[in-house]
Amino acid sequence: MSGQGDVLGTFAMYYPVAREPNRDDLKGVEMATRTVAIAIERTRLRQSLRDSERRFRKMFDALPPAVYITGAAGRLTYYNPPQSNFPGVCRSWKMTSDASAGSSIIHTARACL
Protein backbone atom coordinates (compact mmCIF):
# COMPACT_ATOMS: atom_id res chain seq x y z
CA MET A 1 0.00 0.00 0.00
CA SER A 2 1.16 3.50 -0.76
CA GLY A 3 1.18 6.30 1.77
CA GLN A 4 -2.19 7.32 0.32
CA GLY A 5 -3.64 3.81 0.66
CA ASP A 6 -3.34 2.83 -3.02
CA VAL A 7 -2.47 -0.79 -3.81
CA LEU A 8 1.00 -0.88 -5.37
CA GLY A 9 1.26 -4.64 -5.88
CA THR A 10 0.63 -8.04 -4.38
CA PHE A 11 2.81 -10.32 -2.28
CA ALA A 12 2.67 -14.10 -1.91
CA MET A 13 4.50 -16.63 0.25
CA TYR A 14 4.95 -20.27 -0.73
CA TYR A 15 5.77 -23.14 1.62
CA PRO A 16 6.63 -26.80 0.91
CA VAL A 17 3.44 -27.79 2.76
CA ALA A 18 0.15 -25.97 3.20
CA ARG A 19 0.15 -23.88 6.40
CA GLU A 20 -0.77 -20.51 7.83
CA PRO A 21 2.00 -17.89 8.08
CA ASN A 22 3.34 -17.50 11.62
CA ARG A 23 4.11 -14.23 13.45
CA ASP A 24 7.71 -14.09 12.14
CA ASP A 25 6.46 -14.65 8.59
CA LEU A 26 4.00 -11.77 8.95
CA LYS A 27 6.66 -9.46 10.42
CA GLY A 28 8.95 -10.27 7.49
CA VAL A 29 6.16 -9.63 4.98
CA GLU A 30 5.32 -6.31 6.65
CA MET A 31 8.95 -5.17 6.56
CA ALA A 32 9.44 -6.28 2.95
CA THR A 33 6.23 -4.70 1.69
CA ARG A 34 6.97 -1.42 3.50
CA THR A 35 10.44 -1.30 1.93
CA VAL A 36 9.13 -2.15 -1.54
CA ALA A 37 6.36 0.47 -1.22
CA ILE A 38 8.96 3.14 -0.43
CA ALA A 39 11.04 2.09 -3.44
CA ILE A 40 8.01 2.06 -5.79
CA GLU A 41 6.78 5.46 -4.59
CA ARG A 42 10.27 6.95 -4.88
CA THR A 43 10.65 5.60 -8.43
CA ARG A 44 7.25 7.01 -9.40
CA LEU A 45 8.14 10.40 -7.89
CA ARG A 46 11.43 10.54 -9.78
CA GLN A 47 9.69 9.65 -13.04
CA SER A 48 7.04 12.28 -12.37
CA LEU A 49 9.76 14.89 -11.77
CA ARG A 50 11.59 13.89 -14.98
CA ASP A 51 8.32 14.15 -16.93
CA SER A 52 7.60 17.57 -15.40
CA GLU A 53 11.12 18.82 -16.22
CA ARG A 54 10.78 17.52 -19.79
CA ARG A 55 7.42 19.32 -20.22
CA PHE A 56 8.86 22.53 -18.75
CA ARG A 57 11.95 22.42 -20.97
CA LYS A 58 9.82 21.74 -24.06
CA MET A 59 7.53 24.66 -23.23
CA PHE A 60 10.47 26.93 -22.28
CA ASP A 61 12.37 26.15 -25.49
CA ALA A 62 9.27 26.78 -27.62
CA LEU A 63 8.61 30.29 -26.25
CA PRO A 64 9.01 32.88 -29.03
CA PRO A 65 10.51 35.63 -26.83
CA ALA A 66 14.05 35.30 -25.55
CA VAL A 67 14.00 33.93 -21.98
CA TYR A 68 16.88 32.99 -19.73
CA ILE A 69 17.43 31.64 -16.22
CA THR A 70 20.18 32.77 -13.88
CA GLY A 71 21.49 31.24 -10.67
CA ALA A 72 21.64 32.97 -7.29
CA ALA A 73 24.97 34.60 -8.23
CA GLY A 74 23.42 36.05 -11.41
CA ARG A 75 25.26 33.64 -13.71
CA LEU A 76 23.35 32.52 -16.79
CA THR A 77 22.31 28.90 -16.25
CA TYR A 78 19.99 28.27 -19.20
CA TYR A 79 18.48 30.10 -22.15
CA ASN A 80 15.93 29.23 -24.80
CA PRO A 81 16.82 29.17 -28.54
CA PRO A 82 15.58 32.73 -29.35
CA GLN A 83 17.94 34.08 -26.66
CA SER A 84 20.92 32.82 -28.67
CA ASN A 85 20.03 35.30 -31.44
CA PHE A 86 20.67 38.30 -29.18
CA PRO A 87 23.91 40.27 -29.57
CA GLY A 88 26.61 39.27 -27.11
CA VAL A 89 25.31 35.74 -26.65
CA CYS A 90 27.79 33.14 -27.77
CA ARG A 91 26.24 30.54 -30.06
CA SER A 92 28.93 28.00 -29.18
CA TRP A 93 28.13 27.76 -25.47
CA LYS A 94 28.49 24.21 -24.34
CA MET A 95 25.47 23.10 -22.30
CA THR A 96 26.15 20.28 -19.84
CA SER A 97 24.26 18.45 -17.14
CA ASP A 98 25.33 19.30 -13.58
CA ALA A 99 25.62 15.84 -11.98
CA SER A 100 27.24 17.29 -8.85
CA ALA A 101 24.02 19.16 -8.08
CA GLY A 102 22.12 15.87 -8.22
CA SER A 103 19.78 17.05 -10.92
CA SER A 104 19.46 17.41 -14.66
CA ILE A 105 19.57 21.21 -14.54
CA ILE A 106 21.50 22.49 -17.53
CA HIS A 107 24.15 25.15 -17.08
CA THR A 108 26.82 26.83 -19.19
CA ALA A 109 30.22 25.20 -19.25
CA ARG A 110 31.95 28.31 -20.64
CA ALA A 111 30.91 31.86 -21.44
CA CYS A 112 31.81 34.11 -24.37
CA LEU A 113 32.52 37.82 -24.10
Side-chain angles (χ1 to χ4, degrees), residues 53-68:
E53 288 174 345
R54 193 176 306 113
R55 284 190 307 273
F56 172 80
R57 190 164 290 117
K58 185 176 181 180
M59 183 242 356
F60 187 87
D61 288 347
L63 289 172
V67 181
Y68 62 91

Side-chain angles (χ1 to χ4, degrees), residues 55-110:
R55 284 190 307 273
F56 172 80
R57 190 164 290 117
K58 185 176 181 180
M59 183 242 356
F60 187 87
D61 288 347
L63 289 172
V67 181
Y68 62 91
I69 299 172
T70 60
R75 183 174 170 207
L76 186 67
T77 57
Y78 190 75
Y79 61 90
N80 68 339
Q83 179 70 29
S84 64
N85 296 325
F86 275 43
V89 174
C90 179
R91 292 177 190 265
S92 64
W93 277 3
K94 182 178 178 186
M95 306 301 273
T96 61
S97 179
D98 187 357
S100 65
S103 68
S104 60
I105 295 173
I106 297 176
H107 69 94
T108 58
R110 102 181 149 80

Side-chain angles (χ1 to χ4, degrees), residues 8 11 81 86:
L8 298 174
F11 189 86
F86 275 43

